[in-house]
Amino acid sequence: MNSRPTSTVLLAIVIPIAGVAGPLDERHLHISPRTQVETARVASVTAAPTTFDAAQPFEGNAAGAATVRTTGTANAFSQPSANISFEDELTFKVGNGLFRKLWVSSPSSTLTSDGLGPLYNARSCQRCHIKDGRGHPPEGPDDTAISMFLRVSIPAPHRSLADEIEGYIATLPEPTYGNQMQDFSLPGHPAEYRLEVKYDEKVVPLSGGAAASLRMPTYTATDLGYGPLHADAMLSPRVAPQMIGLGLLEAIPAADILALADPYDVNGDGISGRPNIVWSVEFDQPMLGRFGLKAGTPTIRQQSAAAFVGDIGISSPLFPDPWGECTQRQWDCRAAPHGNTDIRGFEIDAAGLDLVTFYSRNLGVPARRAVDDPQVLRGKQVFYDTGCTGCHQPSFVTHRLVDQPEQSFQLIWPYTDMLVHDMGPGLADNRPEGRASGTEWRTPPLWGIGLTRQVSGHAYFLHDGRARSLLEAVLWHGGEAQAQRDAVVVMPPADGAALIEFLESL
């Protein structure tokens, strides 16, 4: 088996950035710098189209050479990068096995699979990221929230990391329940809570006499197993996002992302995206946040390790506590048997974590559909004319990478700027993360969004799944996207239909 999934990385490009003490580098990548000729080529191929009567060159290949064939099955998001080698496809499959593995409690005869909990949200990565697609909120009182949970924190009395990261908003774990609330537990341990969701409907009139109905959620943490929450607890509902294309997003040059930031809206378009700068547990320094709904994590490896400890209660070299998220007030939980005492050292060791990282990095993005369809092209023009590309940046070219050929120097079409934006009070969770405020969210990538129902069996969107369609998701936009949302409300029905057709083609 190939030995490529290792934690060895080399210092590459360093970028000065305002608000960070020292340069912001990309230690997670081994980069071969672009030549001047390549830089000019990148500018040319990522330039905005001047006409909309035909698809742009290579637009159908959403992930460049890594683009996979679109299938008609629920496994459309579970294919390896199309340009992966045979040897590395075997590595991908081993990583997939770990991603799907059901963990069990300690002690167990299955020594490589024990360590679950004692508190957890799911027994495997796949249980949240079903078919590598989106999770969903509970469908009713009898449905569990297995692919959705509540993050929780309290304001900090001091500004930790403020010396290294300007504008960092300090928070602390909730004293009893930690950073994340778990709704499952091993026998003998109470679960932390049960998530209760109630909706009120709000009708939004549209042009042409049509109307849409938005469901407005109220979230309650009920059946608290360890006493009341802190009076200042900040709760944020999160649905598991889709997994495709993560390695390509990780390989976008930080300089290209930072070039899109306009925190003071200098160009006057009403959009003021800015980067989330977060602390890297792996490299012990500030890095550009890329992953998570608020861009609160810098790398796939750290994101994977954080999910293991928070979602499943599995320790790793990055998060070594064998009791997972159990806090100091949960004494029995911390004293329970765990899997850190065997030969692995951690419940998932560095080799296992690297395999899951490799798998997550190489989940392929399906090819676009109907890119030359006149209705899709009209919808694309509406998308541009309405200003949606102010946040949903259509394309990038990834770094040229020495040791990641699948992600190296690819023209990709993710439709995200990787920045955080104020989305207004309607979508606010009022819980900060890094530099992102309680009203800011990272622009989600749109690639693959039209295959959500096929893969996940539903069409729920946004950070908490409240939107039941793409139209509802658009109508929830506010803040920096208020003008675009309002334009959709009043646009002719034919243009609105074309816009949705374009989104469905992504």
Side-chain angles (χ1 to χ4, degrees):
M1 183 178 296
N2 190 309
S3 61
R4 280 182 54 202
T6 70
S7 56
T8 302
V9 293
L10 301 178
L11 177 63
I13 305 298
V14 293
I15 306 162
I17 179 171
V20 178
L24 185 70
D25 65 42
E26 300 177 271
R27 289 178 180 266
H28 63 296
L29 300 173
H30 186 188
I31 301 164
S32 178
R34 293 175 181 171
T35 66
Q36 289 185 342
V37 172
E38 288 175 338
T39 300
R41 285 175 55 200
V42 168
S44 175
V45 299
T46 57
T50 56
T51 63
F52 296 90
D53 54 355
Q56 292 169 260
F58 313 112
E59 187 178 0
N61 293 326
T67 306
V68 299
R69 180 175 58 88
T70 302
T71 71
T73 72
N75 293 318
F77 288 175
S78 300
Q79 305 172 75
S81 304
N83 55 350
I84 200 169
S85 69
F86 175 77
E87 187 177 22
D88 283 336
E89 187 172 351
L90 295 178
T91 304
F92 176 89
K93 290 178 178 178
V94 175
N96 184 23
L98 287 172
F99 193 83
R100 297 170 62 91
K101 179 166 71 171
L102 292 175
W103 294 83
V104 299
S105 60
S106 298
S108 170
S109 59
T110 56
L111 293 180
T112 61
S113 297
D114 70 325
L116 175 68
L119 304 174
Y120 60 96
N121 295 106
R123 289 182 57 198
S124 74
C125 306
Q126 185 76 205
R127 288 285 181 93
C128 288
H129 302 279
I130 304 163
K131 294 289 185 180
D132 304 296
R134 300 174 188 272
H136 60 84
E139 297 282 4
D142 297 327
D143 190 16
T144 64
I146 196 166
S147 57
M148 183 180 191
F149 62 80
L150 291 176
R151 291 214 184 278
V152 60
S153 56
I154 62 173
H158 57 84
R159 296 181 61 200
S160 63
L161 297 179
D163 291 339
E164 292 86 2
I165 303 173
E166 181 182 338
Y168 191 89
I169 306 171
T171 62
L172 292 172
E174 203 280 340
T176 302
Y177 293 94
N179 293 300
Q180 178 174 323
M181 300 191 73
Q182 287 83 21
D183 52 354
F184 291 98
S185 61
L186 298 179
H189 299 273
E192 289 189 324
Y193 83 119
R194 180 174 61 85
L195 178 61
E196 185 177 284
V197 188
K198 293 183 179 179
Y199 296 103
D200 293 316
E201 295 286 337
K202 176 185 177 181
V203 176
V204 179
L206 304 174
S207 66
S213 183
L214 305 184
R215 57 178 186 175
M216 306 175 67
T218 300
Y219 300 99
T220 306
T222 64
D223 299 338
L224 294 172
Y226 298 87
L229 287 159
H230 190 281
D232 296 326
M234 300 175 288
L235 301 176
S236 179
R238 306 288 179 92
V239 164
Q242 63 186 29
M243 295 286 294
I244 58 173
L246 298 184
L248 295 163
L249 298 176
E250 189 177 52
I252 296 172
D256 292 354
I257 296 171
L258 297 175
L260 297 172
D262 185 15
Y264 304 109
D265 192 20
V266 173
N267 64 6
D269 66 353
I271 298 173
S272 51
R274 60 197 189 102
N276 197 0
I277 308 301
V278 299
W279 194 257
S280 167
V281 174
E282 186 173 5
F283 301 111
D284 196 32
Q285 66 176 48
M287 291 183 68
L288 176 66
R290 295 174 185 258
F291 302 107
L293 293 165
K294 287 180 180 277
T297 309
T299 65
I300 298 171
R301 191 168 190 262
Q302 182 168 325
Q303 180 83 350
S304 299
F308 268 114
V309 72
D311 298 352
I312 315 177
I314 298 297
S315 64
S316 71
L318 297 190
F319 298 98
D321 289 341
W323 47 75
E325 270 272 299
C326 301
T327 67
Q328 292 183 2
R329 296 184 180 182
Q330 296 168 330
W331 302 111
D332 290 344
C333 182
R334 287 196 168 208
H338 56 76
N340 269 19
T341 56
D342 59 36
I343 194 171
R344 292 170 293 173
F346 303 101
E347 289 162 339
I348 185 165
D349 59 15
L353 181 60
D354 289 337
L355 285 164
V356 173
T357 301
F358 185 81
Y359 171 75
S360 301
R361 182 181 291 141
N362 280 288
L363 281 164
V365 179
R368 285 274 308 278
R369 282 86 53 215
V371 291
D372 285 314
D373 182 89
Q375 180 80 340
V376 169
L377 291 170
R378 174 58 188 156
K380 178 183 174 182
Q381 182 170 5
V382 173
F383 188 84
Y384 274 76
D385 290 347
T386 306
C388 301
T389 57
C391 297
H392 292 282
Q393 171 72 14
S395 60
F396 291 93
V397 173
T398 60
H399 273 305
R400 189 179 291 282
L401 301 174
V402 173
D403 56 350
Q404 292 177 219
E406 301 87 2
Q407 290 83 41
S408 180
F409 210 55
Q410 299 299 320
L411 171 61
I412 62 173
W413 304 79
Y415 287 88
T416 173
D417 59 8
M418 302 292 283
L419 302 172
V420 296
H421 295 267
D422 185 337
M423 296 301 294
L427 287 179
D429 66 349
N430 300 308
R431 178 185 178 273
E433 188 172 337
R435 299 204 312 176
S437 74
T439 61
E440 289 180 313
W441 300 94
R442 185 198 67 163
T443 306
L446 298 183
W447 53 13
I449 199 167
L451 297 174
T452 298
R453 186 177 296 279
Q454 175 182 312
V455 171
S456 302
H458 64 77
Y460 298 145
F461 301 105
L462 300 178
H463 66 279
D464 55 1
R466 69 178 68 185
R468 294 161 294 190
S469 68
L470 290 172
L471 175 60
E472 286 188 29
V474 171
L475 295 177
W476 270 109
H477 283 48
E480 296 174 37
Q482 185 69 44
Q484 287 70 36
R485 178 264 186 200
D486 292 347
V488 171
V489 169
V490 301
M491 70 175 45
D495 286 351
L499 175 63
I500 298 302
E501 191 81 8
F502 166 70
L503 295 174
E504 291 281 3
S505 78
L506 296 179

